[in-house]
Amino acid sequence: MAKPKKQPRPKAETPKGFRDYFGAEVTERGDMLAKIAAVYHRYGFEALESSAVETVEALGKFLPDVDRPNEGVFAWQEADDDGRGDWLALRYDLTAPLARVYAQHRNDLPTPYRRFAMGPVWRNEKPGPGRFRQFYQCDADTVGAPSVAADAEICAMLADTLEEVGIPRGDYLIRVNNRKVLNGVLEAMGLEDDTQKDAVLRTIDKFDKVGEAGVRELLGAGRKDQSGAFIDGVGLTPEQAEPVLAFLTSKGTDNAATLANLRAAVGEAAIGAEGVDELSEIANLLEAQGYGPDRIVIDPSVVRGLGYYTGPVFEAELTFEITDEKGRPRQFGSVAGGGRYDDLVKRFTGQAVPATGVSIGVDRLLAALRATGRVGGQAEGPVVVTVMDRARMADYQAMVARLRQAGIRAEVYLGNPKNFGNQLKYADRRGSPAAVIAGSDEFERGVVQIKDLVLGAQIAETATLDEWKERPSQFECTLDDMVERVRAIVDGEA
Amino acid sequence: MAKPKKQPRPKAETPKGFRDYFGAEVTERGDMLAKIAAVYHRYGFEALESSAVETVEALGKFLPDVDRPNEGVFAWQEADDDGRGDWLALRYDLTAPLARVYAQHRNDLPTPYRRFAMGPVWRNEKPGPGRFRQFYQCDADTVGAPSVAADAEICAMLADTLEEVGIPRGDYLIRVNNRKVLNGVLEAMGLEDDTQKDAVLRTIDKFDKVGEAGVRELLGAGRKDQSGAFIDGVGLTPEQAEPVLAFLTSKGTDNAATLANLRAAVGEAAIGAEGVDELSEIANLLEAQGYGPDRIVIDPSVVRGLGYYTGPVFEAELTFEITDEKGRPRQFGSVAGGGRYDDLVKRFTGQAVPATGVSIGVDRLLAALRATGRVGGQAEGPVVVTVMDRARMADYQAMVARLRQAGIRAEVYLGNPKNFGNQLKYADRRGSPAAVIAGSDEFERGVVQIKDLVLGAQIAETATLDEWKERPSQFECTLDDMVERVRAIVDGEA
């Protein structure tokens, strides 16, 4: 008889491009999202948690008649009775599910419908350093409000949100632009050919990267990029390209000056004038609520994703400098962006529904808060009650229960207590502020030893051998005083 | 030329068995989980958020050599360069990922490792009424602690957790049993045949459903079930079956009596005596911390999942009555369960690692809190600032900003303002406590009208036409008094 084949041990690994989050990584993100949710709630937005799984049909980008539609999304086919069910997929953002939810539940939802959503999304892309295939998004959108008052509201809310999570006024700037102004510029240029229009749009999208001179070259004959490769240009004459450059560089010393420049750039185009009017109205609405251009400003150089949006677009930037991995100072950059998109629900219902919204880059904002010391830093490990005498476990448990009932984070050491050094190493690894020690002698006398590990760590860094020997970081107190003495250490008052 | 085929509109539907959660459904669950997390944190447990996607190999239940291993899980095959990549799947619980995480990161994690995890899991099962294919789990586990002190700690933490979320003492009971005691009973019965052993185990698992008499029949000749079908029995003689029934019914008037009955039931079996000793130690540890049998009690009738666990098992029950859908009172029942399982990590590393943990049924606990009015109830819709004059939008926005800055949830009506009735209907649908109204007359005089919608709803239920006409629920105040007058309504002091 053949031996049964021995199964090899499975590998203990996350799939490529996925990762786990531990301890403070989880709780700090949760705390930040809770603060954001509180602001959104105050603005009248309602929480929505849609299912992580959607039909590929509803997600829309991918068609079920492709044999394996897994480009960009994680998708699989349901096994129904005929063996050929719907294609399902993990959501790749929170906007496509919003469109599906709104179309499905529109009769039960208020109009306008303000909602926020927070949660993981999944992308079936090649993972890279710092690039994961599962990450958090945090969105707020208003569906069914055609007025730019809805866009202005989102900008104001974004400013409040950044301040709420810990970015002080002056350290951020929300820049607002309008896709209609750009359309006006294209119209004023007299571009008729759609291919050429698209080429101009793609070039404008590169403004952030290549700057004014680069855009000028790319609109004209072309440009050598950093690698030395030559990128063909759109082929416009310098005169033809001028309105685009006027548009991109029309930021003035204040909103009024910028608006005047933009009005000039769009010339006679009606759509462009409409866009400028909208920007003017947004600025007025925000001024009336106290959001001046020091916080929210009209800035035509905001070009990201212009192709996707149909009206106002906005982007939040952190303006303070951080030190990058090579030790050079650089601006932190964008942490949120959004705008108006009016065609999303139409796919389902045939009716256009106006919508506008913002998405916060959760990981980037959290990184900014960490980089500036506004999140994290101090350890908040538990107090560890060590085990000197295994038979006394009930007493140790009673001690730790006392600490917890006083609201102090605490635990009994539950590993093998034989080697006491291991218990202190464990406390160290846990970032414990204090260890409580009691053996038969202490129990007899109704006292405990308390080791101040915060002070101990400070002494370890600076003390001489003699100072070490005095061990001032360890002291004795009565069992009844234990809670208060430990609390003093935890609160940094020892 | 053939006409391009017109794409039909996609259906706006969640996939079968999935659902969306709106507003309070999301925030109430979030609030409950935050309270649970605070208790777990106080006990020294660390948050862990593992990826939602695992390799099928790591999940373990399903083998990659099956063509489509989607039984029970949602799985798909990665497209690598050869077109044949790893099979990936959505996690079906939080325990299998914990085993993978511990095996992967064990050198960087403290031992013992206490962790909690909260989040959605996915099951590829036939959906039914109230049965969804995505739902929340909330687990706490201690890995690497062999002592039953770890099991006792989990039970104490579970009691604290239930009280923290709003279940008062007396309304819950945590029942503790031990798989080793059952093994002792089987040994005492002298059952050698594994098939017969398994049949006895399966029968014991039915104790909750069929009761003592039913188990007696099923251990013997067999039993007619409710549908009239005859279920074959295990075929034991009444004498052989006696120890099993003694075990299941050994609960005494106090823990000491129960332990004495169990000691008798296991006879000479060493493993059984070990199990009884462990239960005795758990009871002592809990008593020392103040958790008496009114909260945590030894109860041998806890049999669920005994096959999976290797030592202590526990289950939390809510003991108060609710009214079921047919109007009959019934006990609410189980909301959490867990126990010791020592073989999970071994699959990866070859080394057995002791582990114990608990899983809270998030939806059931939330339903219990709602059923008893401890969660939900009062509306907390936003104050709605209505729009009488579209040209005054900046003024309305300034008013709403004032309310928000005072911490009051508020929004401007952003739908079409033409029909004022629609604005009040909107406020009603939003559950607004108050509407603020201002037209050109009010702006001229520096006042606003405030409609108390809470009072209005009360009047609408009880008032006569004359009372209606007086409209006492609407009043005028100065713009400067608006915040305080609205706050009085929101706080229920108007």
Side-chain angles (χ1 to χ4, degrees):
Chain A
M1 220 175 86
K3 260 194 180 170
K5 223 165 126 185
K6 208 182 156 190
Q7 282 282 341
R9 280 189 204 136
K11 278 190 229 107
E13 281 174 9
T14 39
K16 261 172 273 156
F18 291 88
R19 57 161 293 192
D20 306 308
Y21 295 83
F22 293 91
E25 292 176 329
V26 179
T27 50
E28 286 168 7
R29 181 176 55 204
D31 291 347
M32 186 184 84
L33 291 176
K35 283 180 190 164
I36 295 173
V39 176
Y40 289 179
H41 186 260
R42 204 188 313 142
Y43 269 79
F45 284 67
E46 296 290 338
L48 168 67
E49 188 171 323
S50 64
S51 63
V53 178
E54 297 276 350
T55 63
V56 166
E57 186 190 355
L59 285 182
K61 260 173 144 175
F62 310 90
L63 297 172
D65 57 358
V66 177
D67 184 44
R68 178 167 289 280
N70 58 359
E71 216 171 313
V73 297
F74 292 105
W76 63 91
Q77 191 170 22
E78 282 254 72
D80 68 1
D81 294 340
D82 309 326
R84 307 264 81 182
D86 288 339
W87 276 95
L88 304 184
L90 292 175
R91 64 183 179 206
Y92 58 84
D93 72 2
L94 300 173
T95 311
L98 170 63
R100 193 266 306 153
V101 167
Y102 187 80
Q104 181 172 349
H105 300 283
R106 61 192 184 282
N107 293 331
D108 302 317
L109 293 172
T111 299
Y113 176 49
R114 292 176 175 92
R115 86 88 179 79
F116 68 90
M118 303 171 161
V121 300
W122 293 266
R123 301 272 170 92
N124 192 359
E125 290 167 350
K126 236 192 168 72
R131 244 180 88 144
F132 296 100
R133 305 207 286 174
Q134 171 179 332
F135 55 93
Y136 266 72
Q137 287 198 337
C138 168
D139 285 18
D141 295 81
T142 301
V143 182
S147 149
V148 291
D151 303 276
E153 178 178 272
I154 298 255
C155 291
M157 186 167 76
L158 185 53
D160 284 10
T161 300
L162 292 175
E163 294 184 20
E164 182 74 23
V165 300
I167 308 287
R169 207 168 291 186
D171 271 6
Y172 70 89
L173 194 60
I174 296 165
R175 304 187 296 144
V176 185
N177 195 1
N178 195 325
R179 168 68 208 242
K180 288 179 183 169
V181 179
L182 176 60
N183 284 349
V185 170
L186 295 178
E187 201 178 307
M189 289 168 70
L191 282 189
E192 297 292 327
D193 177 8
D194 271 355
T195 321
Q196 214 172 27
K197 255 192 202 167
D198 285 350
V200 171
L201 279 174
R202 274 199 306 277
T203 306
I204 287 175
D205 253 344
K206 291 183 186 141
F207 179 68
D208 273 351
K209 225 163 74 188
V210 303
E212 186 183 344
V215 167
R216 197 179 293 274
E217 289 173 347
L218 286 170
L219 287 175
R223 179 173 186 271
K224 230 180 220 158
D225 75 5
Q226 281 182 320
S227 69
F230 189 79
I231 313 293
D232 283 340
V234 181
L236 303 184
T237 65
E239 291 71 35
Q240 277 181 305
E242 205 41 57
V244 176
L245 289 154
F247 163 74
L248 285 173
T249 59
S250 56
K251 184 154 191 303
T253 49
D254 58 21
N255 281 342
T258 307
L259 289 166
N261 291 340
L262 284 177
R263 232 174 260 288
V266 298
E268 300 290 306
I271 184 78
E274 191 182 316
V276 178
D277 287 345
E278 287 183 1
L279 285 176
S280 171
E281 194 182 339
I282 289 174
N284 288 340
L285 289 171
L286 289 169
E287 287 277 4
Q289 297 171 70
Y291 298 86
D294 56 323
R295 291 200 268 169
I296 309 177
V297 70
I298 295 170
D299 186 340
S301 71
V302 177
V303 289
R304 68 192 272 272
L306 271 175
Y308 172 73
Y309 296 109
T310 56
V313 292
F314 23 88
E315 181 163 275
E317 256 183 38
L318 303 189
T319 52
F320 54 82
E321 285 188 344
I322 55 154
T323 310
D324 71 9
E325 54 283 3
K326 285 179 185 160
R328 291 169 307 203
R330 64 167 182 83
Q331 285 223 332
F332 193 88
S334 171
V335 291
R340 178 166 286 275
Y341 53 97
D342 285 344
D343 287 338
L344 215 61
V345 179
K346 197 176 179 182
R347 291 182 51 237
F348 294 103
T349 64
Q351 288 184 301
V353 176
T356 183
V358 66
S359 185
I360 291 178
V362 175
D363 290 329
R364 279 190 62 74
L365 183 55
L366 199 51
L369 294 171
R370 286 195 182 117
T372 54
R374 279 158 193 142
V375 149
Q378 76 281 40
E380 42 159 1
V383 172
V384 172
V385 174
T386 58
V387 175
M388 302 288 281
D389 178 355
R390 211 191 281 244
R392 294 276 196 171
M393 186 53 91
D395 295 306
Y396 297 121
Q397 293 283 4
M399 279 157 63
V400 85
R402 270 203 207 193
L403 290 166
R404 281 181 201 136
Q405 275 149 24
I408 296 169
R409 188 179 194 208
E411 52 175 65
V412 171
Y413 180 74
L414 286 184
N416 186 339
K418 225 170 170 184
N419 180 335
F420 189 70
N422 279 348
Q423 300 198 43
L424 291 184
K425 268 186 220 155
Y426 172 84
D428 189 47
R429 174 167 259 187
R430 298 288 283 120
S432 305
V436 177
I437 305 164
S440 46
D441 173 56
E442 279 81 9
F443 282 114
E444 243 165 61
R445 297 191 292 121
V447 298
V448 297
Q449 307 290 332
I450 295 176
K451 217 174 161 63
D452 183 337
L453 299 171
V454 182
L455 183 60
Q458 290 164 0
I459 291 173
E461 273 184 21
T462 57
T464 63
L465 187 63
D466 282 339
E467 287 167 331
W468 250 115
K469 280 185 183 160
E470 292 170 28
R471 293 192 306 173
S473 65
Q474 185 169 330
F475 58 87
E476 182 178 304
C477 73
T478 67
L479 190 53
D480 283 338
D481 285 345
M482 175 187 67
V483 167
E484 287 321 308
R485 297 299 294 272
V486 167
R487 192 200 298 284
I489 295 172
V490 172
D491 292 349
E493 293 157 8
Chain B
M1 220 176 88
K3 261 195 180 169
K5 222 162 124 188
K6 207 180 155 193
Q7 282 282 341
R9 279 189 205 136
K11 279 189 229 104
E13 280 174 9
T14 40
K16 260 172 276 159
F18 290 88
R19 58 161 293 192
D20 305 309
Y21 295 83
F22 294 89
E25 292 176 329
V26 179
T27 51
E28 286 168 7
R29 182 176 55 203
D31 290 348
M32 186 184 84
L33 291 177
K35 283 180 190 164
I36 295 174
V39 176
Y40 289 179
H41 186 260
R42 205 187 313 141
Y43 269 80
F45 284 66
E46 297 290 339
L48 169 67
E49 187 171 323
S50 64
S51 62
V53 179
E54 296 277 349
T55 63
V56 166
E57 185 190 355
L59 285 182
K61 260 174 146 176
F62 311 89
L63 298 172
D65 57 358
V66 176
D67 184 45
R68 178 167 290 279
N70 59 358
E71 216 173 310
V73 297
F74 292 105
W76 62 91
Q77 190 169 24
E78 283 254 72
D80 67 1
D81 294 340
D82 309 326
R84 306 266 82 181
D86 288 339
W87 276 95
L88 304 184
L90 292 175
R91 64 183 179 204
Y92 58 85
D93 73 2
L94 299 173
T95 310
L98 169 63
R100 192 268 304 153
V101 167
Y102 188 81
Q104 182 172 350
H105 300 283
R106 62 192 184 281
N107 294 331
D108 302 316
L109 293 171
T111 299
Y113 176 49
R114 290 176 176 93
R115 86 87 179 79
F116 67 91
M118 303 170 161
V121 301
W122 293 267
R123 301 271 169 93
N124 192 358
E125 290 168 350
K126 235 191 170 71
R131 243 181 90 142
F132 296 99
R133 305 209 285 175
Q134 172 178 333
F135 55 93
Y136 266 73
Q137 287 198 337
C138 169
D139 285 18
D141 295 82
T142 301
V143 182
S147 148
V148 292
D151 303 276
E153 179 179 270
I154 298 256
C155 291
M157 185 166 77
L158 185 53
D160 284 10
T161 300
L162 292 175
E163 294 184 20
E164 182 74 23
V165 300
I167 309 287
R169 207 169 292 185
D171 271 5
Y172 69 90
L173 193 59
I174 297 165
R175 305 186 298 144
V176 185
N177 195 2
N178 196 323
R179 168 67 208 243
K180 288 180 183 168
V181 178
L182 176 61
N183 284 350
V185 170
L186 295 178
E187 201 179 306
M189 290 166 71
L191 283 190
E192 297 291 326
D193 177 8
D194 271 355
T195 320
Q196 213 171 27
K197 254 192 203 168
D198 284 351
V200 171
L201 277 176
R202 274 197 308 275
T203 306
I204 287 175
D205 254 345
K206 290 181 188 144
F207 179 68
D208 273 350
K209 226 163 73 189
V210 302
E212 186 183 344
V215 166
R216 196 180 295 274
E217 289 172 349
L218 286 171
L219 287 175
R223 180 174 185 270
K224 231 179 223 160
D225 75 6
Q226 281 181 321
S227 70
F230 189 81
I231 313 293
D232 283 340
V234 181
L236 303 184
T237 65
E239 291 71 35
Q240 276 181 307
E242 206 40 58
V244 175
L245 289 155
F247 164 73
L248 284 173
T249 60
S250 56
K251 184 152 190 303
T253 49
D254 58 19
N255 280 342
T258 307
L259 289 166
N261 291 341
L262 285 177
R263 230 173 263 288
V266 298
E268 301 291 305
I271 183 78
E274 193 182 314
V276 179
D277 286 346
E278 287 183 2
L279 285 176
S280 169
E281 193 181 341
I282 288 174
N284 288 340
L285 288 172
L286 289 169
E287 287 277 4
Q289 296 171 70
Y291 298 87
D294 57 322
R295 291 200 271 169
I296 309 177
V297 69
I298 294 170
D299 186 341
S301 71
V302 178
V303 290
R304 70 191 269 272
L306 272 175
Y308 173 73
Y309 295 109
T310 57
V313 292
F314 23 88
E315 181 162 272
E317 256 182 40
L318 302 189
T319 52
F320 54 81
E321 285 188 345
I322 55 154
T323 311
D324 71 10
E325 54 283 5
K326 286 179 186 161
R328 290 169 308 203
R330 63 167 182 83
Q331 287 224 331
F332 194 88
S334 171
V335 291
R340 178 165 288 274
Y341 53 97
D342 286 344
D343 287 338
L344 214 61
V345 180
K346 197 175 178 181
R347 291 181 52 237
F348 294 104
T349 64
Q351 288 184 302
V353 177
T356 183
V358 68
S359 185
I360 290 177
V362 174
D363 291 328
R364 279 191 62 74
L365 183 55
L366 199 51
L369 294 172
R370 285 193 183 121
T372 55
R374 278 155 192 145
V375 150
Q378 76 280 42
E380 41 158 1
V383 172
V384 172
V385 175
T386 59
V387 175
M388 302 288 283
D389 179 355
R390 213 192 280 244
R392 293 279 195 171
M393 187 53 92
D395 295 306
Y396 298 121
Q397 293 282 5
M399 279 157 61
V400 85
R402 271 203 209 191
L403 290 166
R404 280 182 201 134
Q405 275 150 24
I408 296 169
R409 189 178 193 210
E411 53 175 62
V412 171
Y413 181 73
L414 286 184
N416 187 338
K418 227 170 167 183
N419 180 336
F420 189 69
N422 279 349
Q423 299 198 42
L424 291 183
K425 267 186 217 152
Y426 172 85
D428 189 47
R429 176 167 257 188
R430 298 287 283 119
S432 303
V436 177
I437 305 164
S440 46
D441 172 57
E442 279 80 8
F443 282 114
E444 244 163 60
R445 297 191 291 121
V447 299
V448 297
Q449 306 290 333
I450 295 176
K451 218 175 160 61
D452 183 336
L453 299 170
V454 182
L455 183 59
Q458 289 163 3
I459 291 173
E461 274 185 20
T462 59
T464 64
L465 187 63
D466 282 340
E467 287 167 333
W468 250 115
K469 281 185 182 158
E470 292 169 28
R471 292 191 307 173
S473 64
Q474 185 168 329
F475 59 88
E476 181 177 304
C477 72
T478 67
L479 190 55
D480 284 339
D481 285 344
M482 175 187 67
V483 167
E484 288 321 308
R485 297 298 295 270
V486 168
R487 193 200 298 284
I489 296 172
V490 172
D491 293 349
E493 293 156 8

